[in-house]
Amino acid sequence: MALRGSSDRGLPSRPMNVEQIVEKALAYDYNPAIPLKYWFRTANTLLKEAEIYEHEGNDQQTYLLLFRHAQLVLKNLANHPDVKSPESKEALRLAETDVVNGIKKLEILKPRIKRRHERYEQLVKDRDARKAAASSQKSSRIPGFDGLGDSSRHQRMPSDPAIAGNPETLAADDNKELAVRLAHKELRRRAVARKSTRQAGISKEVEQGRRTAGLWGDWEEALANNDRDADRDNLSQQLQNVHLQAEANKVNGSRNRAAGPFTQNTRPSYSYPTIPEKALTQGLRSQLTSPDTLQRREAGNENFSSMQPPKPPPKDNLSTPYGPPAIPSRPMFTIPATPSRSETASPSQGDLKPSVFTFKPSAYLENGSPLRTIFLPPNLRHTFLSVAQTNTRANLETCGILCGTLISNALFISKLVIPDQESTSDTCETVNESDLFDYVDGEDLMVLGWIHTHPTQTCFMSSRDLHTHCGYQVMMPESIAIVCAPSKGDWGVFRLTDPPGMQSVLNCTQTGLFHPHAENDIYTDALRPGHVHEAAGLEFEVVDLRPKR
């Protein structure tokens, strides 16, 4: 199998400097009308993603996510209207502890990012000087030759820290086989690491504490390979120091992440070492709270300041005077086809490491933000319909949660979790959500969306579906909703548009299962075309959390 990429040979694209990464980190929409439990779950998701990007050696995206997490917790969640309850105060205290650990990493990453950017600038300068000298000689012999090369493409402002500076990025549609092989190997490695950790008598709580401190199950291997380059030397030593410090601390109780999007759990705390307030270094604190930063954040929140939290529609109003809305037109913000492709030799199984590959975004939100690729097992919906068959025959909806993980800047669905639920012909409500999120956190999974049936109706996103999915997409912009209409033999993969869909649903205060929205393009296809790609051979597991009856 040959790799199909979109890279230009020679210098990679321009890496981002710290200031550019910080600007991107602040470019998110915060709405205090969204319940705090959603935002705590979002903060936890940011940390999970940062851990994976750090493990893969992606300093730029790690810095972005940790900085965004710090700004979200210290600036926004600390002032959320719901933070006054005892449970929220405890969850906030634990989140602030995570921030302190994250800031330590930011201080390690910052000089490395700066050095990489400066090295790139010097390489470009040296190369352009050589080209200028060569072109001056050539221009004297060729009339009309202006000596302009291709350096301009490297001067473009980078838009995505996850791929900026990488010598080669891969198109998901052209590299599905590679993606499947990469996922199989990495998911097995992580499963073995978790099993080995627990067989060694290390509890889930201690394991989570190590992860919070920046340590992975295979940290020994990472430290053994720390001679690969000078930059990795520094990080490996820091990880070793944090590990020794973490081992010296006593663990008191258990620590559970705040749950969402459906419920919120409080988390008993670890006994972390006392870190004085001055640990928030003046440079980083000034970035988080500077007038320019606050001005940018406030400017971005103008459209959200007057929002009211949407009221949940009642379950007893089943009238449908408006009928199912037509599925909106397909998105216009997908990646254009690559005009030329480069091919290299197929990597061996031993070369399949997430740090070697980077999948480029497959689509963009309507506001221009990139969407990472989601790889979806093609037979997942058929398996789900088999699980839902009993309910479907009884004209009852069934829902499942799409879980997976992040590998090489792409998201892979690897688990179909069937939560405990209560169903009617038009609704499906998750119950005992704490069991669901205990499982998700215990398996180091990320919630990537949901799937549900319309037993007798057509394939569309109802008003109730739109409000439900908004909670998922607030946590992760790539989140998807799969709707299956078995009686019609139809199905679809959808996301809210942004704008106008996300803003319309967040502002909506109407009640009832079925109600109209003023905007026409509230949601759109995510699969045809979009950021979701079906990958044949991608394995997944069904986990049914419903009590046996």
Side-chain angles (χ1 to χ4, degrees):
M1 178 194 66
L3 295 182
R4 297 184 182 271
S6 60
S7 64
D8 297 313
R9 298 303 176 186
L11 283 177
S13 61
R14 175 186 293 274
M16 301 178 75
N17 59 35
V18 172
E19 291 73 18
Q20 292 166 342
I21 297 173
V22 168
E23 183 178 359
K24 289 291 180 183
L26 296 175
Y28 68 94
D29 294 326
Y30 172 74
N31 177 10
I34 297 174
L36 185 57
K37 62 182 181 181
Y38 290 85
W39 287 118
F40 278 134
R41 194 75 196 175
T42 300
N44 293 336
T45 300
L46 290 174
L47 287 180
K48 283 186 177 181
E49 293 185 35
E51 288 173 353
I52 294 174
Y53 279 114
E54 178 187 349
H55 182 65
E56 295 179 358
N58 194 324
D59 291 349
Q60 294 180 141
Q61 190 70 2
T62 303
Y63 194 96
L64 181 147
L65 292 166
L66 291 177
F67 193 97
R68 179 175 291 176
H69 175 267
Q71 205 274 346
L72 173 66
V73 173
L74 299 179
K75 172 67 167 57
N76 292 322
L77 302 194
N79 298 305
H80 193 281
D82 298 341
V83 80
K84 297 179 181 179
S85 69
E87 296 83 2
S88 296
K89 287 182 179 179
E90 175 64 8
L92 178 63
R93 186 187 69 79
L94 294 168
E96 289 173 341
T97 301
D98 290 337
V99 168
V100 173
N101 292 326
I103 288 175
K104 294 178 182 178
K105 295 183 182 180
L106 289 174
E107 293 302 318
I108 296 171
L109 293 171
K110 186 174 181 178
R112 290 168 50 177
I113 293 172
K114 181 180 179 181
R115 287 197 303 270
R116 185 187 184 198
H117 185 267
E118 290 175 346
R119 285 198 299 266
Y120 179 91
E121 293 293 332
Q122 187 60 47
L123 287 173
V124 171
K125 183 178 179 180
D126 294 344
R127 185 199 60 183
D128 289 347
R130 291 193 299 269
K131 284 188 174 182
S135 64
S136 63
Q137 297 177 3
K138 190 173 183 179
S139 61
S140 63
R141 301 189 299 268
I142 303 178
F145 180 77
D146 60 6
L148 294 178
D150 61 352
S151 61
S152 61
R153 72 170 178 266
H154 300 294
Q155 305 303 320
R156 293 194 297 260
M157 181 69 68
S159 60
D160 187 356
I163 63 174
N166 289 320
E168 183 169 18
T169 56
L170 302 179
D173 197 47
D174 295 328
N175 293 280
K176 293 180 181 178
E177 183 181 345
L178 169 67
V180 170
R181 293 170 57 203
L182 182 65
H184 285 174
K185 181 174 181 180
E186 180 62 13
L187 290 174
R188 284 196 297 269
R189 184 197 67 78
R190 295 183 188 181
V192 170
R194 285 195 302 272
K195 183 178 179 180
S196 299
T197 298
R198 289 163 190 173
Q199 285 181 342
I202 301 174
S203 68
K204 294 181 180 179
E205 292 76 18
V206 173
E207 181 185 1
Q208 181 59 41
R210 291 180 176 182
R211 290 178 178 274
T212 302
L215 296 164
W216 287 78
D218 61 345
W219 63 270
E220 294 91 348
E221 178 184 355
L223 293 176
N225 296 329
N226 64 357
D227 57 348
R228 292 177 181 174
D229 56 65
D231 285 344
R232 293 192 180 183
D233 262 348
N234 295 337
L235 182 58
S236 297
Q237 185 61 48
Q238 291 292 337
L239 292 179
Q240 189 176 33
N241 292 340
V242 175
H243 168 72
L244 295 175
Q245 184 180 13
E247 286 295 317
N249 296 325
K250 290 184 178 180
V251 177
N252 295 328
S254 62
R255 182 179 187 189
N256 298 318
R257 292 289 182 186
F262 307 99
T263 189
Q264 176 181 345
N265 292 338
T266 58
R267 301 178 295 173
S269 64
Y270 276 89
S271 178
Y272 287 103
T274 302
I275 300 177
E277 184 66 15
K278 64 181 180 182
L280 302 177
T281 61
Q282 187 63 33
L284 186 59
R285 178 180 292 279
S286 64
Q287 282 184 298
L288 288 170
T289 60
S290 66
D292 289 342
T293 296
L294 299 180
Q295 184 176 2
R296 286 198 298 269
R297 294 295 304 124
E298 292 170 0
N301 291 335
E302 288 179 355
N303 296 331
F304 298 94
S305 59
S306 61
M307 287 185 180
Q308 297 296 324
K311 299 178 180 178
K315 299 177 67 172
D316 55 352
N317 184 1
L318 302 180
S319 61
T320 59
Y322 303 98
I327 296 177
S329 59
R330 295 176 180 179
M332 300 300 293
F333 291 87
T334 55
I335 298 269
T338 305
S340 61
R341 294 169 179 166
S342 59
E343 297 189 359
T344 61
S346 175
S348 65
Q349 187 71 14
D351 294 334
L352 286 176
K353 296 182 179 180
S355 58
V356 176
F357 306 101
T358 301
F359 288 97
K360 67 179 180 180
S362 292
Y364 291 88
L365 290 174
E366 289 70 18
N367 62 18
S369 298
L371 290 173
R372 293 167 295 188
T373 299
I374 289 184
F375 286 105
L376 170 69
N379 56 333
L380 183 143
R381 67 182 186 277
H382 301 298
T383 302
F384 172 69
L385 287 175
S386 297
V387 173
Q389 190 173 27
T390 301
N391 277 0
T392 301
R393 289 174 178 171
N395 193 26
L396 297 174
E397 285 195 2
T398 307
C399 70
I401 309 300
L402 305 174
C403 298
T405 192
L406 172 68
I407 304 172
S408 299
N409 200 46
L411 300 161
F412 293 80
I413 294 176
S414 59
K415 301 276 188 179
L416 170 59
V417 182
I418 311 297
D420 194 7
Q421 53 197 269
E422 296 177 350
S423 302
T424 70
S425 60
D426 299 287
T427 64
C428 185
E429 298 287 339
T430 302
V431 296
N432 296 328
E433 295 89 355
S434 59
D435 291 342
L436 168 63
F437 289 105
D438 284 346
Y439 174 79
V440 169
D441 290 338
E443 295 297 313
D444 290 326
L445 294 170
M446 300 165 64
V447 175
L448 305 180
W450 62 304
I451 182 172
H452 73 291
T453 57
H454 285 179
T456 59
Q457 299 187 62
T458 58
C459 178
F460 70 101
M461 291 281 282
S462 69
S463 299
R464 181 62 164 266
D465 297 340
L466 296 174
H467 283 269
T468 297
H469 187 65
C470 187
Y472 288 89
Q473 205 163 315
V474 161
M475 291 193 302
M476 180 179 290
E478 290 88 357
S479 296
I480 57 174
I482 301 179
V483 181
C484 299
S487 65
K488 312 299 180 184
D490 196 10
W491 70 290
V493 184
F494 306 111
R495 66 168 175 85
L496 295 178
T497 56
D498 187 8
M502 284 287 290
Q503 293 73 23
S504 175
V505 175
L506 287 171
N507 277 315
C508 180
T509 58
Q510 298 182 75
T511 59
L513 285 178
F514 300 98
H515 57 267
H517 293 89
E519 291 77 8
N520 294 323
D521 296 325
I522 290 185
Y523 69 98
T524 188
D525 284 325
L527 177 66
R528 298 185 295 269
H531 67 292
V532 179
H533 292 260
E534 290 186 294
L538 184 61
E539 298 175 353
F540 70 97
E541 179 185 358
V542 179
V543 179
D544 197 335
L545 300 180
R546 295 176 296 181
K548 305 299 181 183
R549 294 183 175 89

